[in-house]
Amino acid sequence: MSQLVLKRAYDPPSPEDGTRILVDRLWPRGVTKAGARLEAWFKNLSPSDDLRKRVHAGQIDWPSFLAAYASELQAPLAAEAVAELRAAIAAGPVTLVYAAKDPARNNAVALVEILGL
């Protein structure tokens, strides 16, 4: 298994997931804490509310979203969360959990691209 996997919060957890980390700012609707089986929730790794709303409304394109998100990840709390994420990946398998419907364009995909994971 790869050290890093992305999975929707609505997909059932599996033993191969390793450490499950939610990387959304908002809790996924209809998902219970027990059902999510998360080890961590890194809100500071998610895009700001403003950036999230702008991309969902189609006010900015994907490349612009990536650039703005990369800039936000430079903030001290986000940088601290990035270090924690890198440590978790080094320690064993990690699954980044997200709620978005689009498996190709969501903040977990963006996070992996920006950080070169």
Side-chain angles (χ1 to χ4, degrees):
M1 176 184 167
S2 172
Q3 284 292 100
L4 184 64
V5 175
L6 307 182
K7 195 178 225 183
R8 275 193 89 213
Y10 306 100
D11 295 336
S14 65
E16 296 81 27
D17 286 348
T19 301
R20 292 173 51 86
I21 301 171
L22 180 63
V23 292
D24 282 347
R25 187 164 300 277
L26 304 174
W27 187 264
R29 288 184 182 175
V31 176
T32 65
K33 288 184 180 182
R37 290 199 341 211
L38 298 170
E39 282 73 34
W41 183 5
F42 288 0
K43 290 181 191 180
N44 293 326
L45 281 182
S46 64
S48 66
D49 286 333
D50 178 59
L51 183 55
R52 180 181 53 81
K53 289 175 184 175
R54 287 174 45 216
V55 74
H56 287 300
Q59 296 172 345
I60 60 173
D61 62 9
W62 186 249
S64 298
F65 168 73
L66 289 174
Y69 188 17
S71 177
E72 289 184 353
L73 289 172
Q74 300 302 312
L77 290 176
E80 198 174 298
V82 167
E84 290 180 50
L85 175 61
R86 290 188 187 282
I89 293 169
V94 169
T95 296
L96 297 184
V97 179
Y98 65 93
K101 291 179 184 177
D102 187 342
R105 291 199 171 179
N106 61 65
N107 62 298
V109 169
L111 188 63
V112 169
E113 185 174 332
I114 291 166
L115 299 178
L117 303 172

